[in-house]
Amino acid sequence: MPTVELIDPQTLTEADLVGLYESVGWSAYTRDPEKLLASVRGSHRVAVARSGADLVGLARTISDGVTIVYLQDVLVRPEVRRDGLGSRLVRAVLDADPDVRQRVLLTDAEPGQRAFYTALGFTEAHDHDPGLRAFVRMSV
Ligand SMILES: CC(C)(COP(=O)(O)OP(=O)(O)OC[C@H]1O[C@@H](n2cnc3c(N)ncnc32)[C@H](O)[C@@H]1OP(=O)(O)O)[C@@H](O)C(=O)NCCC(=O)NCCS
């Protein structure tokens, strides 16, 4: 079972990230490796899992460090899924900011994602009590 560790994002390289992001098919990121590296290096927290020298999983957050943590990018290589690694990565980045009140994220409307985040204690905004609305404005 790969070890999960919080790392200094500045230590990551393009080569570290491109293989992992390609393995989950996120071509919007991998077609511009320079931007991919800048985005991950600009994160608040980054947790990674390695197999030897290769990254097999990563989770990262964006945050003011006080009131809100936004969970952005949780990815695990297909060959090591359903063994608890994604959950351990998310816990590692979230547990690093235990006093923050709001933990939020946006993800695809797939049943697997819903099951994954529900198992981690997240509630979809429209199911939240008291009621909440989540809004998004994407660029095309
Ligand atoms: C989502 C993802 C990170 C999950 O990683 P993982 O290591 O397989 O997750 P875990 O093993 O910790 O799963 C924990 C629980 O979440 C639920 N779950 C996870 N993936 C699921 C799926 N595809 N279908 C249904 N439930 C799922 C299950 O309840 C699972 O527990 P179980 O295996 O004991 O049934 C991984 O599938 C992935 O990288 N997907 C592609 C990228 C992505 O969509 N990321 C999320 C949006 S940012």
Side-chain angles (χ1 to χ4, degrees):
M1 166 84 65
T3 308
V4 167
E5 55 175 340
L6 283 172
I7 59 156
D8 175 357
Q10 307 313 318
T11 62
L12 288 167
T13 65
E14 282 181 18
D16 283 328
L17 298 173
V18 169
L20 175 63
Y21 278 70
E22 270 175 356
S23 79
V24 302
W26 285 356
S27 54
Y29 280 108
T30 54
R31 72 172 70 105
D32 191 339
E34 209 174 308
K35 267 193 187 169
L36 171 61
L37 182 62
S39 66
V40 177
R41 283 189 173 174
S43 303
H44 175 62
R45 311 266 186 206
V46 178
V48 298
R50 291 182 198 275
S51 175
D54 296 332
L55 290 193
V56 294
L58 179 148
R60 68 188 184 100
T61 58
I62 315 296
S63 177
D64 61 12
V66 182
T67 61
I68 182 164
V69 167
Y70 186 90
L71 183 60
Q72 172 75 359
D73 295 357
V74 183
L75 56 163
V76 170
R77 277 188 179 266
E79 61 272 23
V80 292
R81 286 183 192 165
R82 298 307 288 268
D83 198 24
L85 188 53
S87 305
R88 290 196 293 133
L89 286 160
V90 170
R91 287 199 194 96
V93 284
L94 295 183
D95 289 355
D97 293 287
D99 299 327
V100 165
R101 181 161 173 260
Q102 283 184 50
R103 295 170 190 84
V104 295
L105 67 96
L106 195 64
T107 190
D108 297 331
E110 303 291 340
Q113 268 88 344
R114 182 179 161 96
F116 177 66
Y117 288 113
T118 302
L120 282 161
F122 284 84
T123 303
E124 286 202 58
H126 58 74
D127 292 334
H128 195 270
D129 183 16
L132 285 175
R133 287 201 174 94
F135 294 90
V136 62
R137 193 171 123 182
M138 307 284 278
S139 295
V140 280

